Amino acid sequence: MDAVRVALLREVLTGTEWPGAARRFAGVLRSSVVPQGGGLLLVGTEEYEPWHMAAHLVDEAAWSGLPELAPTLVRHRARPGDPPHLGVGLGRLEGVRRGETLLVVAPERPEDALLERVHDARRAGATVLALDGGDAETRGLAHETLSVAADGSVVDFDMVQHLVSAAAGENSLPGSRGSRRFRDRLSRLVDQLTAPPPARW
């Protein structure tokens, strides 16, 4: 979802809690990883791997000039032959150390084995964030949560991921690089507005 569509989504959601809640959560995410120079780990459940969230954060890291926002996607079914960016398995969570941030993206309750690893990561000193479906145990493990209940409300889980990832890259560079970042984002917006529509398959 590009910047124009995110802006339209925010306009549609004006008057609801979601734009502000997504920005607050994204601010916590940004303040967790930027001062540490990175160390963002992104994990989902066995049934739900957050591919799109990872891709959007990589894009925002590039567009905002904050490489610290680019996550390492931790996968349940990583195989030895996978490319490096897809080959990080759950064993990575055993090596979590102080200063790293673990973002759990789980629309449904994570498996007990994953919750145990998240608990161990928190005890090791990691900051734990959760974008979840409202599971009480997940919320209890996280330092900060944003819950999206699957109750037919105005937003769904994917929409909130778009809002969070877009907000993570906003207004985030120090003043010394601010003018360059503004020009980069303005240039990107112009490119998006003038680009032909994507091909439909």
Side-chain angles (χ1 to χ4, degrees):
M1 184 176 288
D2 61 34
V4 174
R5 291 192 179 110
V6 169
L8 290 172
L9 178 58
R10 286 176 177 155
E11 186 175 332
V12 168
L13 295 174
T14 297
T16 73
E17 66 178 307
W18 293 107
R23 281 194 170 106
R24 282 190 298 277
F25 187 80
V28 173
L29 171 62
R30 195 170 52 235
S31 66
S32 296
V33 298
V34 172
Q36 300 295 333
L40 175 59
L41 302 173
L42 180 62
V43 67
T45 67
E46 194 167 351
E47 297 298 321
Y48 184 88
E49 283 193 333
W51 296 91
H52 287 106
M53 184 77 170
H56 289 308
L57 285 171
V58 167
D59 287 345
E60 286 299 328
W63 293 332
S64 67
L66 286 175
E68 301 90 344
L69 289 175
T72 297
L73 178 61
V74 178
R75 302 181 60 219
H76 288 257
R77 296 183 189 88
R79 295 167 299 195
D82 288 338
H85 69 290
L86 299 177
V88 179
L90 287 177
R92 173 63 179 86
L93 299 184
E94 295 169 9
V96 169
R97 60 190 185 278
R98 183 173 302 280
E100 291 186 302
T101 300
L102 177 59
L103 173 55
V104 180
V105 180
E108 298 177 354
R109 185 184 187 279
E111 306 81 19
D112 289 341
L114 178 58
L115 290 173
E116 286 177 22
R117 289 175 189 258
V118 172
H119 180 260
D120 290 344
R122 178 170 173 145
R123 284 197 331 182
T127 299
V128 176
L129 308 177
L131 177 56
D132 72 334
D135 175 64
E137 193 166 354
T138 305
R139 292 177 64 85
L141 290 173
H143 293 93
E144 185 74 24
T145 61
L146 181 58
S147 294
V148 186
D151 58 2
S153 63
V154 68
V155 298
D156 63 25
F157 201 73
D158 287 338
M159 286 180 185
V160 175
Q161 288 181 72
H162 288 303
L163 291 172
V164 168
S165 57
E170 291 178 340
N171 304 321
S172 53
L173 286 182
S176 61
R177 292 191 286 174
S179 60
R180 183 177 66 81
R181 189 181 88 69
F182 174 76
R183 286 194 301 271
D184 290 345
R185 289 185 69 87
L186 183 60
S187 174
R188 179 171 60 98
L189 180 60
V190 169
D191 288 345
Q192 290 170 346
L193 291 172
T194 58
R200 302 289 181 195
W201 298 100

